[in-house]
Amino acid sequence: KAGVTQTPRYLIKTRGQQVTLSCSPISGHRSVSWYQQTPGQGLQFLFEYFSETQRNKGNFPGRFSGRQFSNSRSEMNVSTLELGDSALYLCASSHRVTGELFFGEGSRLTVL
Amino acid sequence: AQTVTQSQPEMSVQEAETVTLSCTYDTSESDYYLFWYKQPPSRQMILVIRQEAYKQQNATENRFSVNFQKAAKSFSLKISDSQLGDAAMYFCAYRTPSEGNKLVFGAGTILRVKS
């Protein structure tokens, strides 16, 4: 059974640009959550999507957005990138019954 | 707001010995779950153990066990017979069903295993 797949694994952007990250959940998982991991702030919840609807949102500015498609794949977008957006972005999909979260390997974003 | 506190930034243990990682949390919810996640240097977060708040019995998974003290809001992880492969960052996390699958994480504890 394939795990959670995140693409791209690494990317470098410059300030002001925008970026789109993709997450393919484990087959059958309908919930996808996104987290930002930085040395200073640790792991912070961005948002969760379930059946194409945003179910919960963390305390991030509107530059951070996401969506989920009918096949449960999810994308997150960050517009007008800032240096502080440099982070590891983790995606997790959730088992419907147990609620256990399975994480992908993350997308490492560097903003120059 | 719920918070999770890990007061040990770094811990060391000798191979085959036992180590305990501490975690405290704060919540006004009665229904919640607690987790320990392991993040090795390769970065993929792996679930180590979970505890449902309504269960009084402490969860165990092979060499990993927890000491769940609900009244004290304490949730420590004990690793027995430590192995080199246990070296990683360990995160304590909290979730309440009222907030879906949102996890609130502690700052993490780096565990080093000495051979």
Side-chain angles (χ1 to χ4, degrees), chain A residues 9-10 31 33 35 37 43 45 48 55-56 88 90 94 98-101 103-106 108, chain B residues 35 37 39 42-47 50 89 91 95 98-107:
Chain A
R9 292 287 309 279
Y10 303 90
S31 167
S33 308
Y35 294 83
Q37 185 175 19
L43 279 154
F45 172 76
E48 179 195 2
R55 185 155 75 170
N56 204 346
L88 180 67
L90 294 171
S94 172
T98 67
E100 180 180 343
L101 269 67
F103 284 84
E105 292 186 310
R108 169 75 65 186
Chain B
F35 308 86
Y37 279 90
Q39 188 178 39
S42 65
R43 301 188 317 219
Q44 187 164 26
M45 199 88 70
I46 303 165
L47 178 65
R50 64 179 276 164
M89 176 78 92
F91 292 98
R95 179 173 76 85
S98 65
E99 294 198 284
N101 287 315
K102 171 186 175 182
L103 284 173
V104 177
F105 286 93

Side-chain angles (χ1 to χ4, degrees), chain A residues 12-19 78-82:
Chain A
I12 299 173
K13 294 285 186 178
T14 57
R15 279 182 299 175
Q17 287 187 313
Q18 67 94 28
V19 66
V78 187
S79 62
T80 318
L81 284 166
E82 301 176 359

Side-chain angles (χ1 to χ4, degrees), chain B residues 4 10 16 26 37 49-50 53 66 79 81 90 101 112-113:
Chain B
V4 177
E10 191 170 327
D26 188 25
Y37 279 90
I49 199 165
R50 64 179 276 164
V66 298
I79 305 174
D81 186 27
Y90 285 81
N101 287 315
R112 304 191 191 282
V113 182

Side-chain angles (χ1 to χ4, degrees), chain B residues 7-56:
Chain B
S7 58
Q8 305 155 316
E10 191 170 327
M11 292 283 285
S12 292
V13 63
Q14 200 69 32
E15 204 175 0
E17 296 295 309
T18 296
V19 65
T20 298
L21 308 184
S22 301
C23 172
T24 58
Y25 62 94
D26 188 25
T27 182
S28 56
E29 300 281 344
S30 58
D31 185 17
Y32 56 90
Y33 302 85
L34 296 165
F35 308 86
W36 278 98
Y37 279 90
K38 170 185 176 182
Q39 188 178 39
S42 65
R43 301 188 317 219
Q44 187 164 26
M45 199 88 70
I46 303 165
L47 178 65
V48 174
I49 199 165
R50 64 179 276 164
Q51 174 80 44
E52 291 85 349
Y54 64 85
K55 289 187 178 178
Q56 293 187 347

